Amino acid sequence: MAGIHLEGIEKSFGRVKALKGVSLEVAEGELVVLLGPSGCGKTTLLRIVAGLEWPDKGRVFLGKREVTFLPPRSRGLAMVFQNYAVFPHLTVFENIAFGLRMRRLPETVIREKVRWAAELLRIEELLSRYPAQLSGGQRQRVAVARALAVEPQVLLMDEPLSNLDAILRLDLRAELKSLVKALGMTTLYVTHDQVEAMGLADRIAVMREGEIVQFAPPLDVYRRPAHTFVAGFVGHPPMNLLRVSPEDARVHLALDLPVSKEVIVGIRPEDLEPAPKGDPGAFSARVRVVEPLGSHQLVTLEALGTTLKAIWPPEPSLDPGEEVWARVHAERMRLFDPATGRAL
Ligand code: ATP
């Protein structure tokens, strides 16, 4: 296995600067997710690692080997893409065998490796079928099996689950994670789905406009977003962000803020807890909307001169217009600089 090391990658398409100097280190056997909104440069970065695109500046290393301008086939990696690109005119067996045949391996070795990959993905029964005779999820498994069959040093995946329905997606996500971990494969995985990123990643690289704004384990990204952009992108609903001015003594008092300058305060919806009426550490709020979601209720509150989302236990049920009390634990709050958006 090999790690991935990216150094100052820049790439433009005409006037669009798709990547503005991205450096990233994926350790051997690590699963790193590139997460960000549409157009932030995730796919471009992955294609540069794959060798499908060359950077204008910067260098790509797989292990100790520089591969910046090597063709894809010399890089020892495998890719799985969103449109799962299985060949319709080939059986499942031949689809999985494809990369192995390109390497001109002996037939017995090919059979062995195809079996191995098919068993891992639990599609041994389907080897003689054609893709048209498979469900979307099965086709996706074939694409993954084909990538794994060549036992790549590095596995690249670009939204491989996005064509699947929600339940299948959940199943395959868990399977992919355990598979990749069991094989100890270095994996770079692209998605714009923050839940998928949180669930899969050892570390998440959150991207915005061609740059990585935070690179950290999922819970760090969630608990300690480095930027208001991350706070607003990760979490469902995202972190509440309140701009508090120094004059707003009431809010300063209610949140027990440690600074007297203007700040943006970030509060996760689950950290805005219900409190007993009149509790000294709490503030009053007006219920605007209640969304009962079974395991919890999502409550939209008017409080501290703004609108806040709170995730509360499903009972007691609340009514719009009702007055409630809430509090925030100081150590759970996150403060950001309003000028830069960076965490203070
Ligand atoms: P998505 O999630 O929508 O796939 P992404 O984060 O993967 O988005 P990229 O596909 O990497 O984003 O695109 C980054 C930027 O570069 C976008 O502004 C895109 O329009 C532009 N871009 C990408 N490929 C090309 C190309 N071949 N020619 C011109 N512009 C391109």
Side-chain angles (χ1 to χ4, degrees):
M1 289 299 149
I4 305 170
H5 172 74
L6 303 178
E7 237 175 61
I9 302 289
E10 293 182 25
K11 178 76 182 174
S12 295
F13 298 102
R15 285 205 179 150
V16 179
K17 214 159 184 358
L19 297 171
K20 302 174 182 167
V22 172
S23 297
L24 182 71
E25 188 82 54
V26 183
E28 238 177 79
E30 192 180 22
L31 199 173
V32 166
V33 173
L34 298 175
L35 172 70
S38 185
C40 71
K42 312 178 292 292
T43 297
T44 304
L45 192 61
L46 200 73
R47 287 172 59 82
I48 285 174
V49 177
L52 298 171
E53 207 86 70
W54 286 351
D56 302 333
K57 251 195 191 162
R59 307 206 289 168
V60 180
F61 294 85
L62 297 180
K64 294 207 172 353
R65 192 163 67 114
E66 179 170 3
V67 300
T68 316
F69 299 110
L70 288 187
R73 63 172 185 287
S74 320
R75 298 189 179 204
L77 42 74
M79 292 166 257
V80 183
F81 291 112
Q82 178 176 0
N83 47 13
Y84 40 70
V86 287
F87 303 116
H89 59 289
L90 296 180
T91 60
V92 169
F93 183 98
E94 286 305 326
N95 261 288
I96 300 175
F98 187 80
L100 303 167
R101 293 210 187 284
M102 300 266 284
R103 286 167 201 213
R104 302 181 197 287
L105 295 175
E107 192 60 31
T108 49
V109 177
I110 292 180
R111 294 201 162 273
E112 213 174 277
K113 288 186 188 277
V114 170
R115 285 258 153 239
W116 170 78
E119 268 170 35
L120 277 181
L121 274 299
R122 294 190 278 116
I123 47 173
E124 315 94 282
E125 315 297 312
L126 308 176
L127 287 173
S128 57
R129 292 211 206 161
Y130 285 89
Q133 302 167 309
L134 302 176
S135 70
Q138 290 168 333
R139 250 176 264 160
Q140 192 61 60
R141 283 165 201 270
V142 174
V144 175
R146 185 175 62 192
L148 295 185
V150 299
E151 296 174 67
Q153 303 235 340
V154 168
L155 183 61
L156 305 178
M157 296 201 252
D158 193 350
E159 310 241 7
L161 305 180
S162 62
N163 289 339
L164 305 176
D165 71 52
I167 293 183
L168 194 55
R169 209 177 151 126
L170 220 59
D171 272 359
L172 259 183
R173 186 168 89 204
E175 273 177 47
L176 259 186
K177 179 170 183 172
S178 81
L179 206 63
V180 164
K181 285 284 131 196
L183 299 174
M185 221 166 254
T186 307
T187 307
L188 194 54
Y189 186 106
V190 163
T191 183
H192 63 270
D193 178 342
Q194 45 109 7
V195 177
E196 196 159 290
M198 293 285 296
L200 278 174
D202 293 318
R203 284 190 289 175
I204 302 176
V206 186
M207 292 186 68
R208 179 177 77 150
E209 294 173 7
E211 288 175 309
I212 293 176
V213 286
Q214 185 165 16
F215 183 38
L219 279 183
D220 272 7
V221 168
Y222 188 81
R223 286 259 155 252
R224 286 180 287 281
H227 194 280
T228 49
F229 171 77
V230 180
F233 192 73
V234 175
H236 185 74
M239 200 172 228
N240 293 293
L241 296 172
L242 303 65
R243 190 180 272 262
V244 183
S245 71
E247 296 81 54
D248 211 337
R250 196 173 54 95
V251 178
H252 268 270
L253 194 66
L255 297 178
D256 197 13
L257 289 181
V259 289
S260 58
K261 56 178 185 173
E262 183 171 48
V263 286
I264 293 176
V265 179
I267 304 166
R268 287 277 172 214
E270 66 274 24
D271 293 333
L272 193 57
E273 297 174 350
K277 183 173 178 173
D279 186 295
F283 50 87
S284 80
R286 180 82 48 200
V287 175
R288 257 189 63 199
V289 186
V290 182
E291 297 169 71
L293 299 176
S295 62
H296 58 269
Q297 54 187 330
L298 177 57
V299 188
T300 308
L301 299 169
E302 292 289 359
L304 309 176
T306 183
T307 303
L308 299 170
K309 300 268 189 201
I311 290 176
W312 282 3
E315 310 278 356
S317 66
L318 301 169
D319 291 313
E322 200 174 317
E323 188 198 37
V324 290
W325 285 70
R327 78 170 145 229
V328 185
H329 285 290
E331 70 277 7
R332 288 293 180 90
M333 274 186 318
R334 192 83 178 144
L335 302 184
F336 301 94
D337 180 342
T340 62
R342 295 253 148 224
L344 291 172

